[in-house]
């Protein structure tokens, strides 16, 4: 990509999209296209087609999606599959029709089978049943990956798919019901500290294992892959390291400085037992995550404190 190229970041206000904007601006790209949902409803086919025909971006990062944690996925399955399918279909098709040179689609590690061998390699996709609590979102994301592959096969469209592990960082969703595990724990411990609440309850046993990637590292990977990767097969992006939820809880307690007691509730769902990505493909290309989990959580907590008023709304 050249610094003057027109680049559309779909979903620029979200966790990933905002990190992409930060990374692109930091590297000197000065022709970034962004639209809020009020300005451009990506679920509306006609408005999306009109936007692409008018603006004709050269590159596209498709980071727009309806996302959420276990509770949100399990409670609103129709919203998750409908909205994500509509967004992907409209944007990918319009991008190809308008002559976009290259598109990067953001998938998710949750699309791997629940019982996939660890660490999870890209070829494990579609080899077994999904985790039931987020299968609607996962199926939509798989459809997006397959759509990119289909447009490459039939039309020669340069569309690549990136599958990040669990993300966190500035701009995350800290909603009490819809957040993913790391931001949900951060808010819960912070509020318990401020209110001097003696105990905090965490869903599940604490024994499931997760890999976490600081979102600015993902943005760096996406820019790297836009220049160095152009294959049909999706590529994993992660750290290659994992922790138990209990270990994450201990680290979060320390960073937030909460001194109360934590109880784990094994009657609550906790998702896939283990999710660790095989990142050997990215390693071979020369990309590696830079931010440790402790450093990333500290940066995220600092952002959280600075934005408390907006987060509470």
């Amino acid at each position: 990509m050249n610094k003057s190229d027109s680049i559309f970041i779909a979903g620029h206000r979200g966790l990933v999209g905002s990190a992409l904007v930060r990374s692109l601006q930091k590297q000197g790209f000065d022709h970034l296209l962004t639209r809020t949902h009020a300005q451009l409803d990506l679920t509306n086919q006609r408005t999306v087609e009109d936007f692409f025909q008018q603006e004709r971006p050269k590159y596209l990062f498709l980071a727009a999606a309806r996302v959420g944690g276990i509770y949100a996925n399990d409670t609103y399955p129709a919203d998750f599959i409908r909205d994500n399918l509509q967004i992907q279909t409209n944007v990918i098709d319009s991008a190809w029709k308008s002559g976009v040179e290259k598109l990067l689609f953001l998938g998710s590690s949750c699309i791997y089978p629940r019982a996939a061998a660890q660490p999870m390699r890209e070829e494990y996709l579609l080899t077994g049943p999904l985790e039931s609590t987020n299968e609607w979102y996962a199926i939509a994301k798989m459809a997006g990956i397959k759509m990119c592959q289909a447009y490459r096969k039939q039309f020669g469209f340069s569309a690549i798919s990136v599958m990040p592990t669990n993300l966190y960082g500035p701009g995350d969703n800290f909603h009490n019901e819809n957040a993913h595990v790391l931001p949900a724990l951060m808010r819960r411990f912070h509020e318990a500290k401020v209110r001097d609440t003696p105990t905090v309850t965490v869903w599940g046993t604490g024994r499931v294992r997760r890999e976490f990637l600081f979102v600015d590292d993902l943005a760096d990977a996406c820019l790297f892959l836009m220049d160095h990767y152009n294959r049909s097969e999706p590529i994993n992006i992660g750290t290659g390291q994992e922790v138990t939820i209990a270990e994450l809880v201990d680290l979060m307690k320390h960073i937030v400085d909460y001194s109360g007691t934590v109880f784990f509730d094994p009657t609550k769902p906790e998702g896939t037992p283990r999710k660790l990505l095989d990142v050997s493909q990215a390693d071979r290309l020369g990309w590696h995550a830079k931010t440790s989990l402790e450093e990333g959580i500290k940066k995220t907590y600092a952002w959280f404190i600075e934005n408390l008023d907006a987060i509470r709304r």
Side-chain angles (χ1 to χ4, degrees), residues 30-290:
D30 56 10
H31 193 176
L32 305 184
L33 296 174
T34 59
R35 295 291 188 275
T36 64
H37 177 74
Q39 294 170 322
L40 177 62
D41 180 359
L42 296 178
T43 67
N44 186 303
Q45 182 181 19
R46 176 60 63 84
T47 59
V48 173
E49 288 179 348
D50 290 345
F51 166 80
F52 275 93
Q53 289 302 318
Q54 179 178 340
E55 298 294 342
R56 294 189 177 273
K58 189 171 184 180
Y59 294 97
L60 167 61
F61 293 92
L62 180 42
R66 176 180 283 273
V67 297
I70 289 177
Y71 175 85
N73 274 271
D74 205 30
T75 306
Y76 309 107
D79 293 352
F80 274 83
I81 194 166
R82 179 199 61 226
D83 290 355
N84 285 302
L85 286 173
Q86 288 176 336
I87 290 169
Q88 295 160 189
T89 300
N90 294 339
V91 173
I92 295 170
D93 185 61
S94 294
W96 166 70
K97 286 178 178 176
S98 67
V100 166
E101 187 166 310
K102 192 172 183 180
L103 176 152
L104 185 148
F105 174 74
L106 268 297
S108 169
S109 61
C110 76
I111 68 178
Y112 282 109
R114 174 182 170 84
Q118 305 287 320
M120 297 181 290
R121 300 174 61 87
E122 290 87 349
E123 57 262 33
Y124 295 167
L125 287 175
L126 298 172
T127 60
L130 299 166
E131 162 59 35
S132 61
T133 56
N134 63 15
E135 64 176 318
W136 322 103
Y137 174 77
I139 287 172
K141 282 296 181 181
M142 283 192 288
I145 290 171
K146 287 300 178 182
M147 191 169 180
C148 288
Q149 291 175 335
Y151 274 60
R152 176 184 288 269
K153 181 178 180 179
Q154 185 171 339
F155 305 122
F157 185 37
S158 291
I160 63 173
S161 298
V162 175
M163 290 192 295
T165 190
N166 299 284
L167 300 170
Y168 70 98
D172 212 336
N173 172 16
F174 294 88
H175 190 276
N176 282 323
E177 293 181 343
N178 298 335
H180 288 102
V181 60
L182 192 150
L185 288 174
M186 182 174 290
R187 178 168 184 166
R188 203 172 303 165
F189 282 128
H190 174 80
E191 292 181 347
K193 179 182 76 170
V194 170
R195 297 167 182 169
D196 200 24
T197 306
T199 63
V200 167
T201 300
V202 176
W203 281 20
T205 64
R207 293 192 292 269
V208 299
R209 307 181 72 86
R210 292 292 182 268
E211 174 185 20
F212 295 98
L213 177 69
F214 189 57
V215 71
D216 286 54
D217 282 357
L218 173 64
D220 178 71
C222 289
L223 269 62
F224 176 87
L225 293 171
M226 193 65 101
D227 285 336
H228 296 93
Y229 187 76
N230 195 20
R231 297 176 58 188
S232 176
E233 298 79 11
I235 182 168
N236 289 338
I237 295 296
T239 64
Q241 301 174 349
E242 60 183 344
V243 294
T244 65
I245 296 301
E247 290 169 336
L248 175 65
V249 164
D250 287 343
L251 182 58
M252 190 70 71
K253 280 186 61 180
H254 169 70
I255 292 171
V256 174
D257 193 26
Y258 173 68
S259 57
T261 302
V262 175
F263 291 102
F264 290 90
D265 183 356
T267 67
K268 298 294 187 181
E270 56 187 356
T272 305
R274 189 183 179 201
K275 277 185 16 176
L276 176 66
L277 293 183
D278 183 309
V279 294
S280 56
Q281 279 202 70
D283 285 344
R284 287 193 295 270
L285 287 172
W287 186 87
H288 314 279
K290 302 177 180 66

